Structures are given as structure tokens and as C-alpha cells.
Amino acid sequence: MPKQDLLKKFAALAVQVGANVQPDQEVWVNATTDTVELARLIVEAAYDAGAKKVSVNWSDDYVSHSGYLHRTIENLQDIPEWFIQKYQTFVDAGGCVISISSPIPGLNQDVDPEKLQKAGIASMRALHFYREHMMGNRAQWTIVAAPNPVWAKRVFPDLDEADAVEALWDAILQASRVTKDNDPIAEWAKHNERLLAHNKILNDHQFKSLHFQNSAGTDLIVELVENHVWAGGGEHNTQGVYFNPNIPTEENFTMPYKFGTQGKVVATKPLNYQGNLIEDFWLEFKDGQVVDYDAKKQKQALKNLLEFDEGSSYLGEVALISHDSPISNANILFFNTLFDENASCHLALGRAYPMNVQGGTNMTPDELAKLGSNNSMAHSDFMFGSADMNIVGTKQDGSTVQIFKDGNFVI
Ligand code: ZN
Ligand code: ZN
């Protein structure tokens, strides 16, 4: 365990920079039974920031796993009214959310994929309003991470369990810019400034499309929606409160035009989907939709993702990350999207973020769809960046600008 004061700094970062908890606001903390220590520190830090009431939604992935094994598909799809009402009450109270991510890789490998799929769809349908509320930035939300023994052993297989957990804590804190000697809150102010500078350059160009090429076999053209907005770093909620959805974050990202992606993309890191690790995969796009694909491992899980709903075989996000970034340089495969997506350029299958188009957060789903914004109940990021990635942007007038050369920003 790192020193208690290091974890306290991390908790304060989650509360003040992550969710930016406001005086008299209600706070939800989503935590697992593996993350009790950090959860308690976050609760305390949230009250320090003036929260009115802080509640923890505890979960235990092993309990959920038993449920998937023993409950019927019908039973898994039965979401009780009181559960939905709990979310509605929280939304009405204007609360903000701090989630501690601590996934257990491979845990659901022995579960019938159809059960995971159907249970996932039922839960997302029932809580659609909540997801719209949060993804539309109507309240602040943030995700931080904490280790669990299984995850730590997956990342550091050669260490014994206690050392692996310790090493994963170190890596998480390092990636989150929390060190013994620094003031992480001041550090994040500087980091946000750098990300905002790239957003501005990219927004001023208003590229029609981006062309990605590398030696792994990626040759992909991603058209962007008109009036797209590059975002990254902090965001404002609809009441103007500045917050950081992800800690860490290194990405500048925007909205692809739903029907405008052509060519092949080869993933450069595995994708963890519903507890299954999809490895060595590629996707071929035509007019925005995946028309062919393969994976050396867990092809069935990839199929489940692509067939999750109508929008899950189209893109909802394109993100640029310099290969020369702290997470990438640490050269650790975290088996966790929160970290791995920040090591490398990535795309997301599924829902687009309304904030990535001008005026988007005030539009209805129909208005967004008309602009070519993808809608889906899925949103899964996968990495395809590399040290030799080249990206060329084509502007509305046909002129081109080199954006990445050999893996890094050159604008
Ligand atoms: Zn992203
Ligand atoms: Zn994403």
C-alpha cells in the first residue's frame, strides 16, 4: 500500500479536479469491495469539499459473477422499478458521480455470452435516461482506478500478489500525476492547458477527414461530422462547472461522421469487453459500418459487441494521443481501457458524445442522428496507435495537413 497521504492526495484529486464536487451537492461513489480504502478517503474528501450527502454504491464482481452463472436469462433481464427509481431520484437531485474502476480481467469467461449480452441490454435500456443525463454532461462525473489482486497479477505476473498490487498502485498514481512531492491539483491545471491548446488547433482546421496509416496494416479514412468539436482534458457540465471525466486522460477526441469511415484498422492492444479479452483483431469499414473482421482470440466477444445493437458496428469516437506520453512510455499493458486508451490513438464502436458537435448537448437524439452522430447503448474503445502512425488531415477545400508523424503530434 502506498503511504496513506499519497492516497489522500489521490482522493482529493478525484473530488476537486475529477468531479469538482460543489457545495451542497449530492455525491455517488461507485466502488467495489476491493477498493474500500480509497472509497472511504473519497467520501471524506467529498464532505471536505462541502458535499451535502455522499453515498457509496458497493458492488462485488464475484457476487455478480455468481448471479450470471445461476440466474436465468429472463431473471437477469428483470430490472425492478425501485432500482430505476433510485437513479431517477439521484438525477433529480442534481448529484455528481465518482466511479472507482477496478475490473477483474477474465472473471466472466465461463459465463454464457448471451446472458451477459441480454443482461447488459436490459440494464442499459432501463437506465437509458441516466446514461443520457451523465453522457450529456448534465452533471459532473469522473472515473479513477484502484487495483485488485487479480488485475495486479495480470499486469505484473512475475511479482507475488502483494508486490503486484503495490506495483499497480504505483503505476496508477504515476499515470494520474500523483507523486510524493507534487501538488496534483496544480499539475492537472497545467496538463489541461496543454490539452486545450491541441483542441484549439484541431478545431480551427475543421478537417473533413483524417487518414491513418501505419505498418501494422491500418489504412483508414475517418470522415468527421460538420461543426465537430475536439475535446479533451476538462469539460464543462451544462451548468458551467468544470470537471475531468477521466483520471488519467491524455486524449484529444471528436465525433466521426457515422457513414463516413472507409478502410481497414488493425488494433494494437487487446480490448476487454464484458470480462473477455479480444486480442489481435482488425475491422474493415465501408460507409461507416464494419463489413468484415477477425480476431485471433475471443472473436465471439467481438461479434457480440458488433451485434449488440444497430449502432455498435459504427464508430462514435476518434481520439489522438501522442505515442510519447507518460502512460505509453511506462510501457505497461494495464488491461484496462481507462489507462490503455491513453497510451495510444483509439476509436470507439458505439455511441458518440453529444459534446463533440457544436450545440450537441442541447439536441435531441433525433437531431443528433440527423447530423450523422452515431447512437448506441454500447461505447467500447479500442487502441490502434503505434510508434510509426502517420495521420494526414484533409480540409474542406481539399488541402492537406500532416497531423501525426511517426506516432506524435506535429501540429
Ligand atoms: Zn477516448
Ligand atoms: Zn471512448
Side-chain angles (χ1 to χ4, degrees), residues 155-156 171 268-269 323 325-334 340 343:
V155 180
F156 300 104
T268 48
K269 283 179 190 289
H323 197 71
S325 73
I327 298 174
S328 171
N329 290 339
N331 208 18
I332 296 169
L333 185 61
F334 283 86
D340 293 327

Side-chain angles (χ1 to χ4, degrees), residues 246 249 251-254 317-321 337 341-342 344 346-348 353 379 381:
N246 287 353
T249 186
E251 61 176 323
N252 296 98
F253 64 100
T254 196
E317 179 194 352
V318 53
L320 309 184
I321 291 122
T337 302
E341 76 160 1
N342 281 302
S344 179
H346 60 264
L347 299 167
Y353 292 97
H379 179 100
D381 299 280

